[in-house]
Amino acid sequence: MALVDLWFVLIAVLWTGYLCLEGFDFGVAMVLPVVARDDTDRAVALGTIGPVWDGNEVWLLVAGGATFAAFPEWYASMFSGFYLALLLLLVALILRGIALEYRHREPAWAAVLDRVLTGSSLAAALLVGVALANVVHGIPLDADHEFTGTLLTLLHPYALLGGVTTVLVFALHGAVFLALKTDGPVRERSRSVAVTAGMLAVPAGGVFLVWTLLGGAPVWVLAPVVVAAVGLVGATAAVARGREGWSFTATTVAIVAVAVTLFGSLYPDVLPSTTDPAYSLTVTNAASTPYTLTVMTWVAGIVTPVVLAYQAWTFWVFRRRLTRADVGAGH
């Protein structure tokens, strides 16, 4: 495998890790108003993601950094074309972080910050889905790989469906995670919310994936599409029966399969041009020099196991279910 192909795969893996891990963070925050009836319930729900949410964001930062270093043309065209959308995403992520960190320090503002947390998480999930759908669909690029559209250019039906699908799948993923990591009333409500979210996510995801296939995806992409569909249906059925562990595994597999579908449909392009296919960015014309890619490969080989080890350790330490008794009325 050439280094450019290797780094395309690595960036796809980083995005997949971000979608799987940050996906349940977003989902927990989105379903918070439904699953938590009082401040103790909210403390239980947010306690499940409190130790891990900032570590999960590392995957997005590394994905962005790897894209900048390995495919600078891709990074430049994407960030210039998606400038306003990515700015809104950044604002949403900042507001989410503020809400998570300050709600317990400023009790008088806790109710407002909880609404900010839910709204910013929903907005971030929507924007991530719209951005990824646009990357797969393509954007108007000229011969110099400059974006020639506007913000409205990015808001076409396929991209909007991608955003809605991401929101619904993350809501399912987060509700299942809550059901897996809590006990008592929060667990029961989370299971109910997960079933509802699953019933909405299955048809939305099905239409989105079929639309992706019809857009010119290679034949082999049909396999992960089937896996994603089975995963979403299986997750909904499992959580309805109280099998949260199997359900969370199924949602994770479904998200991985969706990522494989999207990046598999994209390759060998990294950013297709809807103006003229000749203007598209590919793994070849968007890549850094072989020397840069070689150095990056050695660095990634050393650092990646460390990152995986500390994240695995974090999840292991905080593996126990949370209950109202754990946080107490005064938490």
Side-chain angles (χ1 to χ4, degrees):
M1 178 184 291
L3 284 178
V4 292
D5 298 320
L6 173 64
W7 274 97
F8 178 84
V9 171
L10 289 177
I11 289 172
V13 169
L14 290 170
W15 271 106
T16 303
Y18 178 72
L19 296 174
C20 290
L21 297 175
E22 194 80 304
F24 67 71
D25 290 340
F26 289 147
V28 168
M30 284 191 286
V31 304
L32 184 65
V34 184
V35 302
R37 300 290 172 82
D38 56 30
D39 205 36
T40 303
D41 282 351
R42 284 187 282 274
V44 171
L46 295 179
T48 63
I49 63 173
V52 298
W53 72 268
D54 48 354
N56 293 342
E57 279 195 342
V58 170
W59 290 80
L60 177 63
L61 298 176
V62 177
T67 303
F68 172 76
F71 299 101
E73 285 280 351
W74 185 12
Y75 181 93
S77 296
M78 184 170 62
F79 274 71
S80 61
F82 300 166
Y83 180 80
L84 183 55
L86 292 175
L87 177 62
L88 293 174
L89 174 60
L90 179 62
V91 170
L93 292 176
I94 291 173
L95 289 175
R96 186 183 70 127
I98 291 173
L100 279 168
E101 291 296 329
Y102 282 91
R103 67 174 306 279
H104 64 284
R105 301 182 186 181
E106 300 291 340
W109 285 86
V112 174
L113 290 174
D114 286 343
R115 296 188 185 95
V116 170
L117 174 61
T118 298
S120 60
S121 297
L122 192 154
L126 179 68
L127 289 167
V128 167
V130 169
L132 287 176
N134 270 292
V135 169
V136 175
H137 175 271
I139 60 176
L141 296 175
D142 61 19
D144 296 321
H145 301 146
E146 295 289 338
F147 178 69
T148 58
T150 65
L151 178 62
L152 294 179
T153 307
L154 306 177
L155 302 180
H156 49 84
Y158 176 75
L160 293 175
L161 179 59
V164 171
T165 300
T166 303
V167 169
L168 293 174
V169 172
F170 282 178
L172 169 63
H173 196 42
V176 170
F177 180 77
L178 271 178
L180 177 66
K181 293 289 293 179
T182 62
D183 210 346
V186 174
R187 180 187 182 188
E188 295 302 318
R189 296 186 200 114
S190 297
R191 286 169 56 184
S192 177
V193 170
V195 172
T196 302
M199 294 176 65
L200 296 173
V202 169
V207 174
F208 177 69
L209 291 173
V210 169
W211 197 338
T212 302
L213 283 175
L214 296 177
V219 176
W220 68 265
V221 172
L222 179 61
V225 167
V226 172
V227 171
V230 172
L232 291 177
V233 173
T236 306
V239 75
R241 298 176 60 187
R243 305 296 296 272
E244 294 97 346
W246 283 108
S247 182
F248 187 72
T249 301
T251 57
T252 302
V253 169
I255 292 173
V256 171
V258 170
V260 172
T261 300
L262 295 179
F263 283 95
S265 302
L266 182 62
Y267 182 85
D269 291 336
V270 292
L271 193 59
S273 172
T274 57
T275 306
D276 186 333
Y279 301 158
S280 297
L281 286 169
T282 68
V283 292
T284 303
N285 65 19
S288 293
T289 64
Y291 178 78
T292 300
L293 295 176
T294 301
V295 173
M296 289 176 59
T297 302
W298 279 103
V299 172
I302 296 171
V303 174
T304 301
V306 177
V307 174
L308 293 175
Y310 85 69
Q311 280 216 297
W313 177 80
T314 302
F315 280 102
W316 174 255
V317 169
F318 295 99
R319 66 190 181 278
R320 189 170 62 87
R321 289 180 183 269
L322 292 180
T323 67
R324 290 174 63 90
D326 291 319
V327 298
H331 55 270

